[in-house]
Amino acid sequence: MEEIQAHSDNYESSSSAASSPPSRVPSSNFFYLRKPGGSRQPISFEDSPDWEENINNHNTDVGVRVEERGGGDSINTATTPASPSLSKLNSVSLRSPPFPEGARKIAGASIVWKDLTVTIKGKRKYSDQVVKSSNGYALPGTMTVIMGPGKSGKSTLLRALSGRLDVSAKTYGEVYVNGAKSSLQYGSYGFVERKNTLIGSLTVREFLYYSALLQLPGFFYQKKSVVEDAIHAMSLGEYANKLIGGHCCMKGLHSGEKRRVSIARELVMRPQVLFIDEPLYHLDSVSALLMMVTLKRLASTGCTLIFTIYQSSTEVFGLYDRICLLSNGNTLFFGETLACLQHFSNAGFPCPIMQSPSDHFLRAINTDFDRIIAMCKTWQDENGDLSNINMDTAVAIRTLEETYRSSSDASAVEATMLKLTEREGPSLKSKGKASSATRIAVLTWRSLLVMSREWKYYWLRLILCLLLASCVGTSFSGLGHSLSFVGTRVAAIFVFVSFASLLSIVGVPAQLKEVKVYACEDSNQHSGGIVFLTGQILASFPFLFLISISSSLVFYFLAGLRNGFGFMMYFVLNFFMCLLVNEGLVLVVVTALQDMFWSISTLVFVHAVMMLSAGYFRIRSALPGPVWMYPVSYIAFHTYSIQASL
């Protein structure tokens, strides 16, 4: 059995920790696992890397120059020496990738946020302030990472910078874009959500091409070069003609490739600023490293990258340019990545050798570790092995925050922010949108292609409707044409049409995936509710007509309804209209609820009410009354079908 042993000292006061010299190495404050029979020596920091020799390189201000051009002023970062590598932490840390060949240079934009505070009522029990007085900046051609434990305000800060907060959130402070107080326009920035919302039945090139048609104005042939550039930028050339996949019985790309496809979807707009929420979400260490190298190559083209990270390996950490460390909404540090290591060392928490810096940061500021240590201490006390663990994360957070406020790093950040906001640069303009007619046509064609490739959409419904028509038609076969069989024919048509409409629930899982893609596209202003519903309805026309004509013919001849081509086609068209109205109902319910359980439950309830209402009117009269008396429109189509068959 492995035991947990710790050797810790009481934290010193915040003032003494802040004033302690960098050369002073405190004793260990971290527990570790000890194998049976191992020595009880605590972790030693004597071999920790000496960051004092590099502190002067990282506390210097970032040089900024303002150039005047014919098109306006532009703010660019001055050429600065390359940051020292993390060789003392890892001898194989990666260098920054060179400028990719064939890539187009992007005119990035500088983002500055000053005293940014975000409040969301009821978001947290102890405080409504999710982000508290945060300061920082992001420069073109660099990667700025927002790091912190869970519920620290990372995603909220990212959404606040991109202007994508909910209506319930209130923002205080200023956000500057190229030195001006303005919001980012459509097309000038891209936002990638944490979860991948892709269409698995399309190839990578097809998916990106349809995304480009939805986002960009202009002609179709002009989008191909944009799509190829996005594929090249995210290193997806060998996967361009492969299905994205993700469904059962459909193999596709791995999680790392899917994540790059999600980012490539936003790159077709050639944004100047790219926001990514957790680019390493659900990625293994190899995929994460490949992802960050790809993003580093993208940043080298001039794009401004801002993203959130929970934690990363040492190699990935070495690729970051700047880091914003958050805990409970408080900014514990902002600046160069290696300067953050020096900051922790000055505060009394040096990073041990052979440990990832991000793991060390989260270990010191994550309040969840207090509960882990408490459980470890309880376990040791119960087993007669009293421990002297005495670590309070709240003390560490206060120490780091106060140390940063009084440090030269905070002064350097304020000076850089002042330089970036002294003079306004070129404003970011919208690149235009595709027209509503174009979007409807694109969504219709894309949905038609998806429906033809996924058997769950309409092919399964077609098989079930044919089986239903065969069963009901066989049960009511050989009906006569006399008036004595009117009630029987009414019952047969009622059972067939009602249960055939109920089979539309089979397509709810597939439609729910389409709705999730729509929700992602709508948040990025690529689509709209009316456009999506119209495209889905138009795309369902050929499949619903195929279902109606095939199953109607089987049922019509087995039941022996009224002879004549005109009567039969009248029945088929009315059944098609019934399915079409029901399809619109399913789309509206699934789009409004966006949950499989509640969508199916609501549709079953609505169909039950419809069938009971229709049965009630049919019981009261052998022949239905006027159309206006029926509460649901598709019950009227039942009426037309019955009248045509009698």
Side-chain angles (χ1 to χ4, degrees), residues 117-431:
T117 302
V118 180
T119 60
I120 303 178
K121 188 176 182 180
K123 182 70 173 179
R124 295 174 179 170
K125 297 180 180 179
Y126 50 87
S127 175
D128 292 337
Q129 292 186 351
V130 183
V131 179
K132 308 172 185 177
S133 300
S134 178
N135 294 320
Y137 58 90
L139 299 177
T142 62
M143 294 197 309
T144 303
V145 56
I146 304 174
M147 183 181 292
K151 298 181 181 180
S152 60
K154 304 187 301 296
S155 299
T156 303
L157 177 58
L158 190 72
R159 293 182 177 274
L161 296 178
S162 60
R164 296 169 60 95
L165 286 173
D166 295 334
V167 181
S168 59
K170 295 183 179 179
T171 306
Y172 306 93
E174 303 294 341
V175 177
Y176 298 85
V177 180
N178 279 348
K181 297 181 182 179
S182 61
S183 58
L184 295 169
Q185 300 296 322
Y186 172 81
S188 63
Y189 78 101
F191 191 96
V192 182
E193 297 285 352
R194 179 177 303 176
K195 295 183 178 180
N196 299 322
T197 52
L198 308 174
I199 303 178
S201 55
L202 298 179
T203 64
V204 173
R205 182 174 279 110
E206 289 173 345
F207 179 76
L208 295 179
Y209 184 63
Y210 286 122
S211 298
L213 294 177
L214 288 175
Q215 299 178 47
L216 297 172
F219 299 99
F220 292 152
Y221 67 88
Q222 297 176 346
K223 312 299 192 313
K224 294 184 179 180
S225 61
V226 178
V227 172
E228 295 302 324
D229 290 343
I231 292 175
H232 176 71
M234 297 309 297
S235 303
L236 292 170
E238 57 181 318
Y239 309 102
N241 296 321
K242 292 185 178 181
L243 291 176
I244 296 175
H247 307 286
C248 59
C249 303
M250 182 185 293
K251 295 183 179 180
L253 306 180
H254 297 291
S255 56
E257 286 81 19
K258 290 181 180 179
R259 195 64 178 145
R260 282 186 278 162
V261 173
S262 298
I263 299 175
R265 173 172 54 185
E266 300 302 320
L267 292 182
V268 297
M269 287 288 294
R270 290 173 181 165
Q272 297 169 278
V273 184
L274 184 60
F275 300 93
I276 310 176
D277 193 5
E278 295 285 354
L280 307 183
Y281 186 68
H282 284 176
L283 298 186
D284 55 75
S285 58
V286 177
S287 300
L289 181 58
L290 180 60
M291 170 65 71
M292 295 310 302
V293 171
T294 305
L295 292 179
K296 190 68 174 180
R297 292 175 68 249
L298 177 63
S300 64
T301 62
C303 182
T304 305
L305 294 182
I306 307 176
F307 50 87
T308 61
I309 288 291
Y310 181 74
Q311 65 181 128
S312 60
S313 62
T314 305
E315 293 88 349
V316 172
F317 182 83
L319 296 176
Y320 304 150
D321 293 301
R322 292 175 186 84
I323 179 174
C324 178
L325 191 61
L326 296 180
S327 179
N328 294 331
N330 299 308
T331 302
L332 305 185
F333 178 80
F334 181 87
E336 302 288 336
T337 52
L338 291 183
C340 187
L341 291 169
Q342 179 63 49
H343 167 64
F344 269 73
S345 180
N346 292 343
F349 312 103
C351 180
I353 196 169
M354 303 299 294
Q355 184 174 359
S356 172
S358 61
D359 292 340
H360 172 70
F361 298 158
L362 295 178
R363 170 65 181 83
I365 65 176
N366 196 341
T367 55
D368 293 336
F369 277 100
D370 290 341
R371 292 181 291 178
I372 296 176
I373 294 175
M375 289 188 295
C376 294
K377 184 176 181 180
T378 303
W379 179 82
Q380 289 179 334
D381 291 343
E382 291 176 354
N383 289 270
D385 187 8
L386 298 178
S387 62
N388 59 346
I389 298 177
N390 186 20
M391 180 173 183
D392 187 2
T393 308
V395 176
I397 294 175
R398 289 196 302 268
T399 304
L400 290 168
E401 185 178 5
E402 294 181 7
T403 303
Y404 173 68
R405 289 179 181 176
S406 59
S407 66
S408 59
D409 294 314
S411 302
V413 170
E414 294 180 359
T416 305
M417 292 170 54
L418 181 61
K419 292 181 180 179
L420 292 172
T421 56
E422 279 181 349
R423 191 171 183 180
E424 295 185 6
S427 59
L428 304 185
K429 299 181 180 179
S430 176
K431 300 178 181 178

